[in-house]
Amino acid sequence: ILISNELFLKLNEEILRLPEKSQLVYRMIKEENQTYQQVAEILNISPKTVDNHLRNCITKLRKSISQYISENDGSQNLKVVK
């Protein structure tokens, strides 16, 4: 998926608003392509806790990005390309 620079910056801003451990889980799985098991071992938590963190992250990010897009509906710079 390709997104505009503006949307990319907003996404990173919203990731920084997440709790620290949730940020770590999100980045390790989504950006570093680690498995739930790898993340669980590194952070000394269960894979189920990793799953819960990631689900909460995605829910919060979806909500905030959707709101941002709807508030900036007329912006030419907010494009998502799949």
Side-chain angles (χ1 to χ4, degrees):
I1 295 177
L2 298 174
I3 60 175
S4 70
N5 190 48
E6 181 180 348
L7 198 52
F8 177 77
L9 292 173
K10 180 62 178 172
L11 176 60
N12 279 313
E13 179 183 309
E14 293 302 322
I15 291 169
L16 291 173
R17 291 181 186 204
L18 296 169
E20 186 176 344
K21 192 164 277 190
S22 294
Q23 285 181 46
L24 279 172
V25 168
Y26 181 85
R27 292 191 188 281
M28 291 171 83
I29 291 174
K30 295 296 185 179
E31 296 175 6
E32 299 173 13
N33 297 315
Q34 294 189 35
T35 66
Y36 283 36
Q37 186 63 40
Q38 290 170 321
V39 173
E41 289 173 9
I42 291 167
L43 298 179
N44 199 29
I45 57 178
S46 74
K48 181 64 179 168
T49 302
V50 171
D51 182 61
N52 289 338
H53 276 289
L54 189 60
R55 286 178 187 271
N56 289 336
C57 288
I58 291 171
T59 299
K60 288 176 183 178
L61 292 173
R62 241 186 222 138
K63 182 179 178 183
S64 60
I65 294 301
S66 293
Q67 181 179 354
Y68 180 75
I69 289 172
S70 68
E71 290 172 357
N72 294 281
D73 191 41
S75 175
Q76 297 291 334
N77 297 324
L78 294 179
K79 294 184 180 149
V80 178
V81 179
K82 293 184 179 182

